[in-house]
Amino acid sequence: MARIKAHLAIPVAAALFAAFALGACSSSKGSGSAATADNSPVTLTFWGTYGNGGNKTQTDVLNGQLIPAFEAAHPNVKVNYVDVPYDSLLQKLTTGAAGGELPDLVRSDIIWVPKFAALGVFGQLDGTMSNFKTLAAATFPGNLSTNLYKGHYYGLPLDTNTRVLITNQDALTSAGISAPPATFADLQADAPKLAAKKISAFADSGLQGWNILPWIWSGGGEITDPGLTKATGYLNSPQNVATVQMLVDLYKQGAIPNLLIGNKGAVQTSDGLPKGNYADILDGPWMAGIWAGQYASFKPVYSPMPAGAGSSVSVVGGEDIVMTTASKHQAAAEEFLAFTQTSTWQLAMAKTGQMSVVSADDAQEASDTPALAPYITQLATAKSRPAVPDEPQIDTALQDDLTPAFEGKTTVQAALDKAAQDIDPLLTATK
């Protein structure tokens, strides 16, 4: 397998770029795949967040099952997994690049890939990794797209999740409603019936991309043009005005609580749904584990994101597996990358809540873990947030610019115009 190419771009800070560039250039000169050419031992360093929040189940599977299986098949390669708290990994990558101390492999949040691809920290895989096309074709398109930056791929999907509608059926039943809302119109029709029982029809904890994009896409709108070069003319389209106006109207009716615009004192969705404060929320497959303790008797109902003019579309979450351009053992690292795409890896991790990114695993994954079936179905249409280095700032703009419309301080059209104007430069900024 060919060694990865280091594509360096304009950095966030000159010092970071200069320090990393020196390290990247020196590491790409001689050692790459040679470490295994003579069967000499290789140790790969792999940074990840599997133990985040004390998740021993995932680290046990990784260290006790998957890494040993890879090492058994590659007797000259050892894998040193370093667990890093999620809140610390971004900073660790940044300082590691500046100091020339990077691992071979990283389990990266999907929204970080463009940032570090632009910096030259994560290496391009398409055109350099011999089996990349085959591996990429086996994954869900929405997941694969999270690795795309300026026409090239800088990683492979590692694990995934999405958001589906989760319902407290007892709350619906108390209002004479037999089933969760399948469409925008159903949600609007349910709202007054639930309000009469002092139940909010829907709740969410923000207006960022993770929260608002399922509504925008399901309503038939987009946030940017296909080339990710502008939001104006897309985010502020008539389709999006209609969708956001629907949510604003529900908010003003009291059908959506002010948790949506940042009221930290409001009842959180994880408590409000099982307690019956809220009838419906959007959330991920980890919620079952959260409720299994405190709300053991709660029986959530899972169904697709309500459909609008654009059908039922949700948002992709998860992590990607990337190789750094500083790796001195790129051939061995590519072997490990490929191993993470196998059913051995994907199905073992699925049992811990990390959904498979390989579409061929669907049937077995649903059989092994039936609670994941609605999420697997939703992934077929789920889409990724804009794959640009400034994606976190896009989230901030959405939250800050849309909130005044819910507060009644501006119109939905004006709020979306402002958000589009603020997002435009974030799409073309180079880090």
Side-chain angles (χ1 to χ4, degrees), residues 16 60 62 68 86 123 164 186 248 259 267 275 354 357 363 371 374 413:
L16 170 59
D60 282 351
L62 180 67
Y86 176 85
V164 303
D186 290 343
V248 167
L259 178 66
V267 178
K275 287 182 175 179
Q354 299 295 326
V357 297
Q413 181 70 68

Side-chain angles (χ1 to χ4, degrees), residues 112-190:
W112 299 343
V113 175
K115 174 184 177 69
F116 287 103
L119 284 169
V121 176
F122 295 166
Q124 180 185 324
L125 295 185
D126 58 312
T128 63
M129 185 176 178
S130 62
N131 56 348
F132 177 81
K133 286 185 178 180
T134 300
L135 296 173
T139 67
F140 291 107
N143 297 105
L144 180 64
S145 70
T146 65
N147 294 281
L148 183 64
Y149 176 67
K150 291 192 173 180
H152 292 287
Y153 291 93
Y154 291 83
L156 281 163
L158 182 61
D159 53 70
T160 190
N161 57 70
T162 186
R163 306 183 95 200
V164 303
L165 195 74
I166 312 179
T167 299
N168 183 325
Q169 184 57 49
D170 289 342
L172 293 186
T173 301
S174 72
I177 302 167
S178 61
T183 65
F184 286 10
D186 290 343
L187 180 65
Q188 291 171 292
D190 289 351

Side-chain angles (χ1 to χ4, degrees), residues 331-376:
E334 288 182 6
E335 293 290 344
F336 190 82
L337 278 167
F339 178 64
T340 68
Q341 305 300 296
T342 65
S343 294
T344 297
W345 179 289
Q346 291 290 322
L347 292 175
M349 277 300 178
K351 292 177 182 178
T352 74
Q354 299 295 326
M355 294 178 63
S356 176
V357 297
V358 178
S359 57
D361 290 339
D362 281 1
Q364 188 62 53
E365 185 178 25
S367 175
D368 291 346
T369 314
L372 293 179
Y375 292 94
I376 295 169

Side-chain angles (χ1 to χ4, degrees), residues 313-402:
V313 184
S314 194
V315 61
V316 169
E319 283 81 24
D320 294 323
I321 180 97
V322 302
M323 184 180 356
T324 70
T325 51
S327 173
K328 296 180 180 180
H329 311 298
Q330 292 179 5
E334 288 182 6
E335 293 290 344
F336 190 82
L337 278 167
F339 178 64
T340 68
Q341 305 300 296
T342 65
S343 294
T344 297
W345 179 289
Q346 291 290 322
L347 292 175
M349 277 300 178
K351 292 177 182 178
T352 74
Q354 299 295 326
M355 294 178 63
S356 176
V357 297
V358 178
S359 57
D361 290 339
D362 281 1
Q364 188 62 53
E365 185 178 25
S367 175
D368 291 346
T369 314
L372 293 179
Y375 292 94
I376 295 169
T377 300
Q378 189 75 73
L379 275 173
T381 60
K383 298 168 66 173
S384 65
R385 289 160 283 178
V388 296
D390 275 337
E391 197 282 332
Q393 286 80 2
I394 292 175
D395 281 339
T396 299
L398 288 168
Q399 182 74 45
D400 291 349
D401 293 340
L402 295 184

Side-chain angles (χ1 to χ4, degrees), residues 184 214-221 239 243 306-314 381 383:
F184 286 10
W215 297 100
I216 284 176
W217 290 326
S218 296
Q239 296 96 321
T243 296
S311 190
S312 170
V313 184
S314 194
T381 60
K383 298 168 66 173

